[in-house]
Amino acid sequence: MIQRKIYVASSWRNTFYPEVVARLREAGHDVYDFRNPPSGDPGFKWSGVSEDYMEWTPQQYREMLHHPKAERQFHNDIEAMEGCDVCVLVLPCGRSAHTEAGWFAGKGKLTIAYIPEKQEPELMYKLFDKVCCTIDELIFTLNFEQ
């Protein structure tokens, strides 16, 4: 078995995420959990910066990318990304998770899409090393495939 350092990219709304993190840890992997970063900070949400974040203009959004809470979480995430050798993209998820997975694929790091339920097909997942459809397939791939 190969022990991996895994970055799980997903969404706050993804109901599969907690199980994926738990099962990968049970399988002996070191897993970064963006909802509970090792810094001890609570996981980042834009509502923690401002309750009216959905009303921001594009200019306000650009400015808020430099808010101390956004800077701190970006640092947490990018440091974890640099330290991990694998990205597991857990669907369904949004833009940030896809950006993170694209970063991993572009760096030549093992990148896997985990699709546990019916999704709209996406051709560009061919950029990734593997697409897994069950948690057992995902764990097997991480444990035994190079």
Side-chain angles (χ1 to χ4, degrees):
M1 183 187 114
I2 303 167
Q3 183 183 22
R4 312 273 192 174
K5 291 188 69 151
I6 302 171
Y7 188 95
V8 180
S10 194
S11 165
W12 277 94
R13 293 177 296 276
N14 187 302
T15 58
F16 299 99
Y17 179 85
E19 177 191 9
V20 171
V21 170
R23 292 283 307 274
L24 295 179
R25 286 180 173 159
E26 288 169 12
H29 301 291
D30 181 4
V31 180
Y32 177 72
D33 177 0
F34 73 86
R35 293 181 182 180
N36 300 290
S39 65
D41 296 329
F44 178 80
K45 292 183 180 180
W46 282 112
S47 60
V49 172
S50 174
E51 289 296 325
D52 69 344
Y53 71 98
M54 291 299 291
E55 305 304 318
W56 291 344
T57 65
Q59 295 78 10
Q60 288 171 310
Y61 166 65
R62 180 179 60 202
E63 290 169 18
M64 290 306 214
L65 286 170
H66 301 288
H67 187 279
K69 290 181 180 180
E71 293 280 1
R72 185 171 52 246
Q73 188 61 40
F74 178 79
H75 174 76
N76 287 339
D77 290 349
I78 200 72
E79 185 176 275
M81 290 166 64
E82 289 170 348
C84 288
D85 55 336
V86 177
C87 177
V88 174
L89 177 70
V90 181
L91 286 119
C93 58
R95 299 170 306 206
S96 286
H98 279 88
T99 301
E100 292 162 342
W103 182 92
F104 273 89
K107 289 282 191 178
K109 296 184 179 200
L110 181 63
T111 307
I112 301 168
Y114 171 47
I115 309 174
E117 66 182 6
K118 185 178 176 182
Q119 300 287 314
E120 180 180 346
E122 175 52 60
L123 178 64
M124 298 314 289
Y125 290 155
K126 289 180 66 64
L127 289 171
F128 299 164
D129 298 289
K130 184 100 176 175
V131 173
C132 295
C133 302
T134 68
I135 191 74
D136 291 332
E137 179 186 17
L138 174 62
I139 292 169
F140 180 86
T141 298
L142 291 165
N143 286 347
F144 299 107
E145 293 190 18
Q146 295 295 327

